[in-house]
């Protein structure tokens, strides 16, 4: 692939009036990057030395393409760095978590000492239920402080957590529980969304009917609904906490032991269970939180993601707590009760680092800047973006209306698979709207052709990472073959699945996905999962879904459906199909449009050619259709 994507490289750039970078050894981008290139292993070991280890490593890296082991022989527990280190040091009574409820009325605050105790009690409670190191624990929870407690409680005893976003439906939850063979599911009676209660527990009831691995369900009862528990199988979150001891010895984890599995959508088959390990993931998230966000001890960090996504794992929980920050967590959505809610929270709490997704920014643009103007946002000093390209219009709006033209906008490109930021515009560096930025120190990224040769600046190509990094995924759970594919294209480099273009200064602009993954409002949706939810319905013969550009959500889902004989197309059927996908996968994976067609374009080998549908939909040339069946 080397056709010119004809991307207009915009020379507009923003330089913040002041840089916040202090005089640590890392300093600015260039010297830090050079230092990394001089001796990559020394670079990573210096960072790792800032953290506590039970036993130090023998080797920084063992690289046996495509398998990496980082900090081999080292022993650690990530919770010691997120909690014990602060409690034993001078952050004992520092606020670790501030929680805001969806209704903006309730607030809960937990110091590092309190969080530490809660985590240890919960860890002991898990142990009392028979959970052991290596067991899988599935979390399907609302965003309340107990969610963080449960995550760290698993890590404390070496149980592998697998978090499923609370917006997913029963079938999506079921397939993830079955693939991970989770022994425990942790949930709550309800979560709240725009003032409505969502019955999480009943979704779990449905999801575990044919999931024999599940032995116990832990239920956090937060409402006054008095959800009844079945004695043999279900236990109350706080009841088991009350019965547990206060102190829990951290489990000694090998650097390469798994820390968690997180499912991400693929283009074929079931979702992929991305496996991250303890040592490298800890170093990668700590480093990027500190360096990319320029995190200081006085910072109040707010990442608006949910723990169900990698962004929540890395930049709500592990990274910020490892740096000892005060972390704001909130169940709110951007526009409920009104579109000023997030700015009100920033003013109330004094948030200094704010990290969100372009889709939210575009939603705020729609409502107008008056909402932001009502509040004092002076506490902010760093703004971040993640999930999709931050288009120049949204950049400008964010920069002016939220950052008041004084905060750097840190665009961060990365993936579930990479675990940490890979490409970013660092604090103090020149910003180019539309570009994610440059590979951060520690990362060698490039834009190449299908053989792995670099393409000229200004020409589109495949985005690759050339060398291993500590927080890279180690495998796909139950599917190592699929893992190897990531490292088997484009000259054997790690292929991200994204297309990109680089400019003369080495800034990288992300153009889009090379595969069939659709990104709706920053959430990665696999075409395969939506299609199978459609085909699972009686009237549907075949289905193909594509992503269509959407002003607010980035992309929306359109489905093309062929019907079985005996079924007639019609509005009622459309609504039924959409409703059923919503029930099975959740609202985020729901098609916004359905078109009934007689046939779907396919290759001779029978693969649906979604790009042909997409080209037709958008009035574009479908490109090479030589493999298209008559
Ligand atoms: C895909 C990864 C990393 C957490 C959020 C999503 C897209 C992510 C950016 C960005 C342009 C971006 C890519 C990537 N993406 N960040 N700053 N600019 N595109 O994680 O669900 O694993 O999705 O999100 O296409 O491959 P994910």
């Amino acid at each position: 692939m080397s056709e010119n994507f004809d991307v207009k490289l915009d020379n507009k750039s923003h330089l913040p009036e002041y840089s916040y970078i202090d005089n640590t050894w890392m300093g600015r981008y260039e010297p830090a990057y050079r230092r990394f290139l001089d001796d990559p292993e020394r670079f990573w070991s210096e960072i790792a030395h800032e953290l506590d280890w039970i036993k130090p490593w023998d080797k920084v890296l063992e690289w046996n393409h495509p398998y990496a082991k980082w900090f081999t022989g080292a022993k650690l527990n990530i919770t010691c760095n997120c909690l014990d280190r602060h409690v034993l040091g001078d952050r004992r009574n520092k606020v670790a978590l501030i929680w805001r409820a969806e209704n903006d009325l309730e607030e809960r605050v937990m110091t590092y000492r309190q969080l530490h105790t809660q985590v240890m009690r919960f860890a002991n409670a898990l142990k009392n239920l028979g959970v052991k190191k290596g067991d899988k624990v599935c979390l399907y929870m609302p965003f309340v402080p107990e969610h963080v407690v449960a995550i760290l409680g698993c890590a404390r005893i070496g149980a592998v957590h697998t978090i499923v976003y609370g917006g997913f439906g029963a079938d999506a939850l079921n397939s993830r529980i079955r693939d991970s063979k989770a022994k425990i599911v942790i949930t709550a009676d309800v979560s709240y969304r725009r003032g409505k209660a969502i019955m999480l527990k009943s979704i779990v009831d449905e999801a575990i009917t044919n999931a024999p691995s599940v032995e116990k369900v832990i239920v956090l009862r937060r409402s006054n609904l008095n959800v009844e528990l079945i004695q043999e199988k279900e236990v109350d979150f706080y009841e088991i906490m009350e019965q547990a001891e206060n102190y829990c010895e951290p489990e000694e984890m090998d650097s390469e032991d798994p820390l968690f599995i997180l499912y991400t959508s693929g283009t074929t088959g079931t979702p992929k269970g991305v496996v991250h390990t303890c040592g490298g993931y800890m170093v990668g998230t700590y480093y990027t939180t500190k360096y990319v966000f320029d995190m200081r001890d006085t910072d109040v960090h707010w990442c608006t993601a949910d723990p169900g996504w990698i962004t929540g794992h890395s930049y709500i929980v592990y990274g910020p707590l490892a740096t000892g920050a005060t972390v704001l967590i909130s169940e709110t959505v951007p526009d409920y009760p009104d579109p000023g809610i997030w700015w009100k929270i920033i003013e109330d709490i004094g948030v200094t680092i704010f990290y969100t997704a372009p889709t939210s920014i575009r939603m705020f643009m729609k409502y107008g800047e008056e909402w932001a103007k009502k509040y004092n946002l002076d506490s902010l000093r760093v703004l971040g973006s993640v999930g999709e390209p931050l288009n120049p219009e949204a950049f400008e709006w964010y920069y002016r209306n939220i950052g008041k033209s004084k905060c750097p906008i840190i665009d961060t490109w990365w993936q579930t698979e990479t675990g940490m930021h890979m490409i970013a515009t660092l604090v103090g560096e020149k910003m180019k709207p539309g570009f994610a930025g440059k590979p951060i120190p520690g990362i060698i990224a490039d834009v190449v052709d299908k053989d792995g040769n670099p393409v000229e600046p200004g020409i589109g190509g495949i985005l690759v990472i050339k060398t291993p990094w500590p927080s890279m995924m180690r495998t796909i759970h139950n599917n190592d073959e699929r893992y190897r594919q990531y490292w088997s294209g484009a000259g054997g480099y790690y292929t991200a699945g994204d297309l990109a273009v680089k400019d003369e200064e080495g800034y990288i602009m992300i153009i889009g996905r090379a595969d069939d993954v659709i990104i709706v409002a920053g959430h990665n949706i696999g075409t395969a999962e939506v299609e199978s939810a459609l085909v699972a319905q009686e009237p549907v013969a075949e289905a193909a879904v594509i992503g269509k550009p959407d002003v607010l959500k980035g992309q929306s889902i359109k489905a093309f459906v062929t019907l079985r004989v005996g079924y007639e197309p019609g509005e009622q059927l459309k609504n039924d199909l959409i409703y059923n996908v919503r029930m099975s996968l959740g609202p985020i994976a729901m098609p916004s449009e359905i078109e009934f067609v007689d046939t779907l374009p396919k290759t001779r080998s029978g693969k649906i050619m979604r790009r042909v549908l997409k080209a037709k939909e958008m009035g574009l040339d479908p490109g090479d259709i030589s493999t298209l069946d008559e």
Side-chain angles (χ1 to χ4, degrees):
M1 163 179 357
S2 55
E3 73 247 47
N4 197 325
F5 280 87
D6 195 25
V7 178
K8 271 223 315 284
L9 299 186
D10 190 343
N11 285 323
K12 251 190 295 172
S13 66
H14 291 280
L15 204 57
E17 276 168 45
Y18 21 79
S19 148
Y20 300 95
I21 285 279
D22 60 12
N23 291 327
T24 60
W25 64 266
M26 298 212 216
R28 298 176 68 87
Y29 180 80
E30 294 295 340
Y33 203 89
R34 241 177 289 124
R35 197 177 168 105
F36 154 65
L37 282 183
D38 283 350
D39 189 344
E41 293 192 14
R42 185 171 150 206
F43 174 88
W44 287 115
S45 86
E46 280 184 358
I47 295 165
H49 272 301
E50 294 183 14
L51 293 159
D52 287 350
W53 301 76
I54 299 170
K55 176 180 171 288
W57 50 94
D58 305 319
K59 281 180 79 179
V60 174
L61 170 65
E62 269 177 38
W63 177 229
N64 189 354
H65 184 279
Y67 299 106
K69 288 187 177 152
W70 283 89
F71 309 105
T72 59
K75 305 285 179 206
L76 73 144
N77 187 294
I78 196 166
T79 66
C80 294
N81 282 288
C82 294
L83 300 169
D84 303 55
R85 201 157 64 100
H86 311 309
V87 172
L88 299 172
D90 51 13
R91 299 195 184 102
R92 189 184 183 84
N93 293 309
K94 179 175 173 176
V95 171
L97 294 180
I98 304 173
W99 175 76
R100 269 295 171 104
E102 215 231 0
N103 58 18
D104 193 40
L105 295 172
E106 278 166 88
E107 182 172 296
R108 284 167 63 190
V109 176
M110 243 191 236
T111 64
Y112 270 98
R113 181 184 58 80
Q114 291 170 321
L115 181 60
H116 185 227
T117 308
Q118 295 274 309
V119 166
M120 291 194 295
R121 285 191 88 108
F122 189 73
N124 282 330
L126 287 174
K127 271 189 177 171
N128 293 344
L129 291 177
V131 181
K132 293 192 182 61
K133 177 176 173 179
D135 284 345
K136 316 292 187 297
V137 175
C138 174
L139 279 65
Y140 182 70
M141 298 181 77
F143 199 6
V144 287
E146 287 85 350
H147 198 332
V148 179
V149 169
I151 293 170
L152 295 172
C154 289
R156 188 72 171 182
I157 62 169
V160 177
H161 58 74
T162 173
I163 308 180
V164 178
Y165 172 59
F168 275 119
D171 292 348
L173 177 59
N174 173 266
S175 65
R176 285 156 178 79
I177 292 175
R178 294 221 324 222
D179 188 73
S180 64
K181 298 212 166 50
K183 197 167 160 180
I184 305 274
V185 177
I186 310 174
T187 190
D189 49 0
V190 292
S191 72
Y192 295 103
R193 211 77 184 153
R194 293 198 165 83
K196 276 199 296 247
I198 297 157
M199 304 309 219
L200 285 191
K201 169 68 167 46
S202 15
I203 298 173
V204 171
D205 291 345
E206 194 186 330
I208 62 172
T209 46
N210 59 351
S213 63
V214 179
E215 292 172 10
K216 285 272 181 324
V217 179
I218 302 175
V219 185
L220 172 72
R221 286 186 280 190
R222 55 186 302 222
S223 75
N224 50 12
L225 289 174
N226 271 325
V227 169
E228 255 185 76
L229 303 183
I230 302 166
Q231 232 179 5
E232 295 75 40
K233 190 148 186 158
E234 300 170 345
V235 292
D236 178 88
F237 191 97
Y238 277 108
E239 239 163 68
I240 59 169
M241 284 272 263
E242 269 160 36
Q243 291 152 8
E245 299 266 310
N246 251 340
Y247 182 76
C248 176
E249 191 71 32
E251 185 74 31
E252 198 173 294
M253 303 298 285
D254 188 88
S255 182
E256 283 298 321
D257 279 336
L259 174 65
F260 65 83
I261 300 172
L262 180 59
Y263 286 88
T264 184
S265 300
T267 54
T268 51
T270 47
K272 297 170 285 184
V274 171
V275 176
H276 281 289
T277 55
C278 296
Y281 179 80
M282 172 175 80
V283 172
T285 52
Y286 165 78
Y287 158 63
T288 45
T289 304
K290 196 172 158 192
Y291 189 51
V292 175
F293 291 129
D294 181 37
M295 181 78 82
R296 309 284 180 81
D297 213 19
T298 45
D299 276 315
V300 178
H301 180 77
W302 188 17
C303 162
T304 64
D306 181 276
W309 311 111
I310 191 68
T311 312
H313 285 61
S314 300
Y315 300 110
I316 295 176
V317 182
Y318 290 114
L321 294 178
T323 62
T326 293
V327 180
L328 172 65
I329 59 178
S330 167
E331 205 179 14
T332 51
V333 292
D335 57 352
Y336 178 86
D338 66 51
I341 178 72
W342 282 9
W343 319 128
K344 174 174 184 288
I345 292 177
I346 289 173
E347 179 187 283
D348 280 359
I349 313 267
V351 172
T352 60
I353 303 178
F354 179 66
Y355 191 33
T356 195
T359 180
S360 311
I361 297 164
R362 290 193 294 261
M363 180 188 285
F364 292 126
M365 287 170 77
K366 188 185 83 177
Y367 288 118
E369 61 252 34
E370 297 72 45
W371 289 101
K373 286 218 173 84
K374 288 190 185 175
Y375 300 96
N376 180 342
L377 304 179
D378 284 350
S379 59
L380 290 171
R381 65 176 195 90
V382 176
L383 300 176
S385 173
V386 61
E388 317 156 67
L390 180 63
N391 50 302
E393 297 72 28
F395 179 106
E396 288 286 337
W397 193 92
Y398 197 22
Y399 185 75
R400 280 187 214 296
N401 296 297
I402 308 306
K404 312 290 179 195
S405 305
K406 71 173 176 60
C407 299
I409 308 266
I410 313 298
D411 192 359
T412 58
W413 176 90
W414 57 296
Q415 306 175 296
T416 306
E417 294 89 334
T418 70
M420 67 176 212
H421 302 146
M422 297 271 111
I423 297 171
T425 304
L426 301 181
V427 172
E429 290 296 303
K430 180 167 74 180
M431 296 179 268
K432 293 189 180 183
F435 288 82
K438 293 192 270 192
I440 65 170
I443 297 304
I444 303 182
D446 207 350
V447 180
V448 302
D449 65 19
K450 64 179 190 334
D451 301 316
N453 306 308
V455 297
E456 297 282 304
I459 308 284
I462 302 164
L463 179 62
V464 294
I465 313 291
K466 294 191 163 176
T467 54
W469 63 99
S471 67
M472 60 190 261
M473 70 164 158
R474 299 302 196 265
T475 186
I476 297 289
H477 186 60
N478 291 336
N479 195 352
D480 194 55
E481 169 60 29
R482 183 66 192 80
Y483 168 75
R484 288 196 294 274
Q485 284 171 18
Y486 281 88
W487 290 89
S488 64
Y493 298 136
Y494 171 84
T495 43
D498 283 3
L499 301 175
V501 63
K502 212 164 87 168
D503 75 359
E504 298 285 349
E505 286 183 294
Y507 278 68
I508 293 173
M509 172 188 279
I510 310 296
I511 303 172
R513 300 284 305 185
D515 55 23
D516 293 329
V517 168
I518 302 173
I519 301 198
V520 182
H523 299 147
N524 209 328
I525 311 290
T527 49
E529 226 177 345
V530 183
E531 286 163 6
S532 66
L534 283 164
V535 176
Q537 303 180 48
E538 180 63 29
V540 177
E542 276 190 307
V545 305
I546 60 162
K548 272 178 78 167
D550 180 286
V551 203
L552 276 187
K553 294 186 285 189
Q555 283 189 303
S556 65
I557 301 174
K558 169 156 186 183
F560 295 87
V561 168
T562 62
L563 292 177
R564 287 179 198 237
V565 187
Y567 288 94
E568 289 303 319
E571 280 312 304
Q572 183 57 43
L573 182 56
K574 266 188 200 175
N575 293 340
D576 290 349
L577 297 180
I578 292 176
Y579 175 80
N580 288 329
V581 176
R582 186 191 163 104
M583 290 318 283
S584 104
L585 297 179
I588 50 166
M590 186 175 82
S592 40
E593 213 182 315
I594 287 193
E595 185 178 328
F596 294 113
V597 290
D598 293 333
T599 53
L600 293 172
K602 283 189 199 149
T603 62
R604 275 163 240 247
S605 60
K607 283 210 182 70
I608 297 173
M609 295 181 83
R610 296 180 189 81
R611 70 182 161 84
V612 173
L613 288 169
K614 189 162 177 168
K616 195 178 135 240
E617 181 70 27
M618 300 177 57
L620 298 170
D621 173 14
D624 177 16
I625 49 167
S626 56
T627 57
L628 188 67
D629 200 7
E630 312 300 290

